[in-house]
Amino acid sequence: MEAIQKEYERLIKRANLSKSINDVDHCLRLLENAREAILRDPTTSKMTLVKLQQAMSTGLGKVQDDHKEIYTGLNRYGKALDKTFKAASTYSTNDYDALTSQAPLIKRAIAMHLIREGQFSVADFFLTEAGPIDIPPELQQEFQEMYEILDAMRTRRDLSLAIDWARQKSVQLEQRGSNLEFDLCKLQFIWLFIERPERAMAYARREFARFQEKHLKDIQQLMCAFLFLQTQEKSPYSRIFADPEKSWNDVSHSFTKEFCSLLGLSAESPLYIASTAGAIALPTLLKMASIMKEKKTEWSTVNELPAEIALPPGYQFHSIFVCPVSKDQTTDSNPPMMLPCGHVIAQESLQRLAKGGSSGTLKCPYCPRESSHHNAKPVII
């Protein structure tokens, strides 16, 4: 994937058509000027056309040179894709395709992704073309409000809309244990402190009082920064004001996360997460498919992957449990079971151990305690 990313970035730099457009505009002006010259004096038409031919040849040559660099970038990017996914054409999902019967869910995921990304006009067109999709109309209005607030934060450095929203949702945010309202006010203070310290002092006196019980230490550090106003580089609190751009990005991300959480949604688009995780896993799965094809074997368990996929921490949402007895990963049909002694094994292992004992009793494989398999409890992970 790194090679694809590298070629993609190179393509973005090369795929600048502004130079080519300027050269085309220049050719058009040459044609217009030649036409006007011939209309003014038809007797000079032959000389004008000769000059035009030479100028147009040069101009069109520049346009071709401009396109050549873009075509080179496209060609290299295509080769990088082919190299990474070279086995894609040999792998077929005809035998088992989990998405074949899930067209409504796929359409909803696409529509939700477009709405979450702020592509509202595209989402409206998709909803019209794809047919009825179960998405509440008010959801798009909610995300329109979110992007209006984010636009004010990112482009105008205006936190007033975000702070007003956080105060309106203060009860729900407090129930979630969120510090969003204070983080927004803290960022507003930092921004004022950098630009106009006297306004920062007035803002702190007006806004920080209600946060003292929970955020007293943070407030103390912010206020003590005034002691080093003339020598900020020597201030022990300089780190708070060292990277305001990072602070803006962090607070914007926190706002997006909390906004989506109150709507019952994750901070990241599920379609984006699923697509990215799939792209990471695809090379390994394609290799496994190739090996199974060569050995003429098939993966019989459709609910499990044929190989372990190492995903980044941000893409791991569910805990797994591997039975210490059978070394198999537990599933819905073979859940983890906790014995009265506190040790956990898979249900199938529990049943095998119980069959070996008298009257359904079994001995824990990790401690000498005996119990009945009826006393084991399922563990939800």
Side-chain angles (χ1 to χ4, degrees), residues 159-184:
L159 289 165
S160 58
L161 293 177
I163 293 174
D164 290 343
W165 180 88
R167 287 175 179 169
Q168 292 173 9
K169 307 292 184 179
S170 59
V171 176
Q172 297 96 310
L173 292 173
E174 185 67 27
Q175 290 174 349
R176 284 180 44 80
S178 171
N179 298 322
L180 179 62
E181 185 181 356
F182 174 73
D183 290 340
L184 289 166

Side-chain angles (χ1 to χ4, degrees), residues 92-121:
S92 173
T93 59
N94 293 333
D95 295 336
Y96 177 74
D97 188 350
L99 301 179
T100 301
S101 60
Q102 303 296 337
L105 290 179
I106 295 173
K107 291 179 180 179
R108 189 178 189 277
I110 294 173
M112 284 293 296
H113 177 77
L114 294 172
I115 292 173
R116 292 170 65 104
E117 293 297 311
Q119 303 292 333
F120 302 117
S121 59

